[in-house]
Amino acid sequence: GTGSNILSALQDLFWLLKSKVEKQLQIISVLQWVLTFLVMGIACTLILMYILCTDCWAIAALYLAWLVFDWNTPKKGGRRSQWVRNWAIWRYFRDYFPIRLVKTHNLLTTRNYIFGYHPHGIMGLGAFCNFSTEATGVSQKFPGIRPYLATLAGNFRMPILRDYLMSGGICPVNRDSIDYILSKNGNGNAIIIVVGGAAESLNCTPGKNSVTLKNRKGFVKLALRHGADLVPVYSFGENEVYKQVIFEEGSWGRWVQKKFQKHIGFAPCLFHGRGLFSSTTWGLLPYSKPITTVVGEPITIPKIDNPSQKEVDFYHSIYVDSLIKLFDKYKSKFGLPEAEVLEVN
């Protein structure tokens, strides 16, 4: 009896220790991504400049020479690494929230796709985890489909960061890059565009489901030019992981944010999550709230080399209706009241 009790106590202790270790690994995995998002580009640039001023300058010079040679690679589909996409750290990242990917329809490998991802949130955590890693099984759920998450082109001018992003299948969100993937990279490509962008991030806050979409029609025009099917995607919970100070229209804070957005491409947000050692203190770690990304039904798009504004508006309206229907169908399943309405701005 005594031996059994000791064994049972040891098993309980082992389970508790394992649980604590896994939680710490989850926190570390999310922290490294947050730091990558916020400071890796600037930090790597400064380190490279410093190395140029030391006895190891040849290493930095060789990398810069490689950078010049490799400059256009991000515009040509990048250089993804299945090894990086399958790192164990991404599974800990997934489990921290947790993040789930829900498939509603099959995708044909004979077609190309543009996924419209909504909402942006502060950092697009669901978009990254689901489409730039294999943590939620995107390749198993959509066999034969190569996902490319599109982000700011300026990120690919940063040394080291550019290579890290490309390894996950991330590409610049510009016309050259998207044209190449949809026209010179065969079929079975899916470009994920966070349609609302920086403007949408300024309004994300817990409890609010709104998207910036009414005047965002460029992605529809690109889809028509290449005959790429449009797929609405909504991430329930994306706005719940950070709290943000929302500046009213006309305030000095909103004026500064819009100036940054116009000239640099991103908008600085005043936000906070939880602390590193306690969920009750403020910090940069996101709150561990569930994020469920639902991939909707593809909208068949014809190939029109020079689509008219009327044609763009027509397919844009179909897309908006499809996104609203997707939201309404799944909102109660993922914790929202039946009366919740998706706000389209």
Side-chain angles (χ1 to χ4, degrees):
T2 303
S4 298
N5 290 337
I6 293 173
L7 181 60
S8 177
L10 288 173
Q11 287 175 337
D12 290 343
L13 180 60
F14 176 76
W15 182 86
L16 285 171
L17 288 174
K18 183 180 178 182
S19 178
K20 286 185 177 181
V21 168
E22 286 186 350
K23 188 61 181 177
Q24 293 305 313
L25 288 172
Q26 290 170 13
I27 289 173
I28 291 168
S29 69
V30 175
L31 179 63
Q32 68 83 27
W33 167 244
V34 171
L35 294 178
T36 296
F37 184 91
L38 295 176
V39 302
M40 183 177 179
I42 295 173
C44 288
T45 302
L46 293 174
I47 290 170
L48 197 67
M49 291 172 63
Y50 171 76
I51 293 175
L52 279 171
C53 300
T54 69
D55 293 338
C56 298
W57 63 270
I59 297 174
L62 283 172
Y63 179 80
L64 289 174
W66 161 253
L67 191 62
V68 172
F69 175 78
D70 196 55
W71 190 254
N72 289 322
T73 297
K75 298 178 183 178
K76 297 181 179 180
R79 188 170 45 246
R80 74 174 56 218
S81 165
Q82 285 303 115
W83 175 65
V84 174
R85 287 174 61 88
N86 281 286
W87 277 354
I89 195 172
W90 305 132
R91 295 192 289 275
Y92 290 112
F93 183 98
R94 171 199 65 197
D95 293 340
Y96 172 85
F97 296 92
I99 295 174
R100 290 176 55 207
L101 179 65
V102 176
K103 169 186 173 180
T104 63
H105 292 79
N106 292 324
L107 298 181
L108 300 175
T109 57
T110 55
R111 300 285 293 173
N112 285 324
Y113 301 90
I114 293 180
F115 287 18
Y117 184 92
H118 313 269
H120 183 286
I122 295 292
M123 296 185 185
L125 293 163
F128 170 77
C129 184
N130 285 307
F131 301 112
S132 293
T133 80
E134 294 296 330
T136 56
V138 63
S139 293
Q140 286 72 45
K141 289 175 180 173
F142 300 103
I145 301 298
R146 293 180 299 276
Y148 293 87
L149 177 60
T151 188
L152 289 175
N155 289 326
F156 296 89
R157 301 187 188 104
M158 301 283 191
I160 311 300
L161 175 63
R162 67 189 293 277
D163 301 288
Y164 188 41
L165 295 178
M166 282 194 292
S167 68
I170 301 177
C171 68
V173 62
N174 58 32
R175 181 169 171 174
D176 289 344
S177 177
I178 294 172
D179 282 347
Y180 183 91
I181 293 170
L182 294 180
S183 63
K184 298 180 181 179
N185 202 41
N187 295 322
N189 302 293
I191 298 179
I192 298 88
I193 300 177
V194 186
V195 178
E200 191 172 85
S201 70
L202 297 179
N203 295 315
C204 70
T205 188
K208 186 173 184 179
N209 288 283
S210 67
V211 296
T212 302
L213 184 57
K214 280 184 180 178
N215 297 316
R216 300 296 175 105
K217 301 180 181 181
F219 73 106
V220 178
K221 190 172 184 178
L222 280 170
L224 286 165
R225 288 180 63 245
H226 293 284
D229 293 348
L230 288 171
V231 182
V233 179
Y234 197 86
S235 257
F236 295 90
E238 185 72 62
N239 284 346
E240 306 299 316
V241 296
Y242 279 111
K243 295 178 181 179
Q244 180 184 187
V245 177
I246 304 294
F247 293 102
E248 298 295 329
E249 290 291 338
S251 65
W252 68 269
R254 183 53 64 100
W255 179 85
V256 170
Q257 288 175 324
K258 286 187 173 182
K259 286 295 181 182
F260 266 83
Q261 179 189 336
K262 181 179 179 181
H263 297 293
I264 302 178
F266 75 93
C269 302
L270 288 180
F271 66 92
H272 74 84
R274 52 155 290 182
L276 181 59
F277 302 107
S278 172
S279 59
T280 60
T281 58
W282 288 13
L284 289 177
L285 278 178
Y287 294 104
S288 53
K289 302 288 185 179
I291 298 175
T292 305
T293 303
V294 184
V295 180
E297 182 178 3
I299 303 164
T300 303
I301 301 293
K303 188 178 187 303
I304 305 174
D305 291 334
N306 293 297
S308 65
Q309 189 59 50
K310 185 176 180 180
E311 290 167 327
V312 172
D313 290 343
F314 174 72
Y315 285 101
H316 181 267
S317 66
I318 292 176
Y319 178 86
V320 173
D321 289 343
S322 296
L323 179 64
I324 293 172
K325 288 177 182 176
L326 179 70
F327 178 84
D328 288 340
K329 183 176 180 179
Y330 289 94
K331 61 186 178 184
S332 58
K333 187 175 181 180
F334 299 120
L336 296 177
E338 194 62 41
E340 184 73 19
V341 176
L342 179 63
E343 182 183 328
V344 180
N345 299 313

